[in-house]
Amino acid sequence: MSTRTFAMIFGIVFLIVGAGGFIPGLTAMGPMGHVADAEVQMKTMFGYELGMFPVNVLHSIVHLLFGVWGILAARSLGGARTYFRAVAVIYAVLTVMGLVAGLRTTFGLIPLYGADVALHAVLAIVAAYFGWMNRDTASDRS
């Protein structure tokens, strides 16, 4: 698959996930499921998207921004590669932050723990592949 096409897919998925954080039916506000829930100070629209991934309004906005960036980056191969390289580094850092007690809520603002840790690791790995390893064919570059 071309790097540009996958940047578009990443962007669209991030937009869907970001929008999902604002839809009450997709974000369960049920009982606190993780010990770190109490550490989150930004409780606006706090819940578990799809019942698994802790999100709040800031987390959802970040997803929307990554979505717009991915769609814009898909316009060129260089833009898509740069996008994926940045996503790989940023999401690798977020993965590590999600494992560190003092950082897993981004100083109380954005939840990064629980199922988010594994998801962020997968995103970082996939993004690293498309940012550094994938070799597009001549037809993919146009």
Side-chain angles (χ1 to χ4, degrees), residues 85-108:
R85 289 173 181 175
V87 168
V89 171
I90 292 166
Y91 274 82
V93 169
L94 294 175
T95 299
V96 173
M97 286 176 65
L99 297 171
V100 178
L103 300 175
R104 65 186 174 195
T105 62
T106 323
F107 310 106

Side-chain angles (χ1 to χ4, degrees), residues 50-122:
L50 302 176
M52 294 175 48
F53 304 100
V55 295
N56 63 9
V57 68
L58 295 177
H59 202 148
S60 295
I61 290 170
V62 169
H63 288 149
L64 291 173
L65 292 173
F66 272 97
V68 170
W69 185 13
I71 290 170
L72 293 175
R75 297 186 312 181
S76 72
L77 179 58
R81 281 192 181 145
T82 300
Y83 170 72
F84 279 123
R85 289 173 181 175
V87 168
V89 171
I90 292 166
Y91 274 82
V93 169
L94 294 175
T95 299
V96 173
M97 286 176 65
L99 297 171
V100 178
L103 300 175
R104 65 186 174 195
T105 62
T106 323
F107 310 106
L109 298 175
I110 300 172
L112 300 174
Y113 50 84
D116 273 356
V117 175
L119 179 60
H120 290 164
V122 169

Side-chain angles (χ1 to χ4, degrees), residues 1-13 66-85 126-127 129-142:
M1 180 173 288
S2 82
T3 302
R4 291 178 60 207
T5 300
F6 214 74
M8 180 64 72
I9 292 169
F10 246 55
I12 291 169
V13 170
F66 272 97
V68 170
W69 185 13
I71 290 170
L72 293 175
R75 297 186 312 181
S76 72
L77 179 58
R81 281 192 181 145
T82 300
Y83 170 72
F84 279 123
R85 289 173 181 175
V126 171
Y129 171 77
F130 280 98
W132 284 287
M133 303 298 293
N134 190 42
R135 296 293 167 238
D136 292 284
T137 63
S139 64
D140 293 331
R141 293 184 182 140
S142 57

